Amino acid sequence: MERALILFAHGARAASWAAPFERLRELTAQQRPDLAVSLAFLELMTPSLPDETDALVAQGVREIVIVPIFLGQGGHLLRDLPRLVDELHAAHPGIAFSTVPAVGEDPAVLAAMAAYCVSSLPN
């Protein structure tokens, strides 16, 4: 595959924290079998974004879209992610990188979360 999505999450000390992100990766890959879909973490878990990018490039990927699985554009997405992407561009000048806004800023995601919150109320 020449195209990939990297779902980019924060990371945590507890291994169980990654379970919903793994499920999201699997669901995304099922919907787009033509893409390499992987998961990378900012800190505390592996693989890191640079390590996952290296692995994808070694497999022949030429275009990578980074999807931040964060609720909002906090410091990590405003400072850390742009720095990491600059480093990725320097390390892999022939690769097309792009990022999208945090998943939690998408209106459809917010609507799904609101529906979940409302459905949690007893009848």
Side-chain angles (χ1 to χ4, degrees), residues 4-30:
L5 284 175
I6 298 178
L7 309 182
F8 180 61
H10 185 276
R13 286 179 179 80
S16 61
W17 178 89
F21 298 93
E22 288 290 346
R23 287 194 302 274
L24 178 61
R25 189 206 61 75
E26 290 169 14
L27 289 168
T28 304
Q30 288 171 4

Side-chain angles (χ1 to χ4, degrees), residues 6-10 40-43 48-50 53 64-70 72-89 97-103:
I6 298 178
L7 309 182
F8 180 61
H10 185 276
F41 300 97
L42 175 64
E43 57 189 16
S48 67
L49 184 58
T53 298
I64 297 174
V65 176
I66 301 165
V67 182
I69 310 300
F70 287 70
Q73 295 280 102
H76 289 312
L77 298 186
L78 294 173
R79 288 184 301 274
D80 298 330
L81 183 56
R83 177 186 50 78
L84 285 168
V85 172
D86 287 346
E87 292 170 5
L88 295 175
H89 277 292
F97 290 99
S98 60
T99 60
V100 298
V103 70

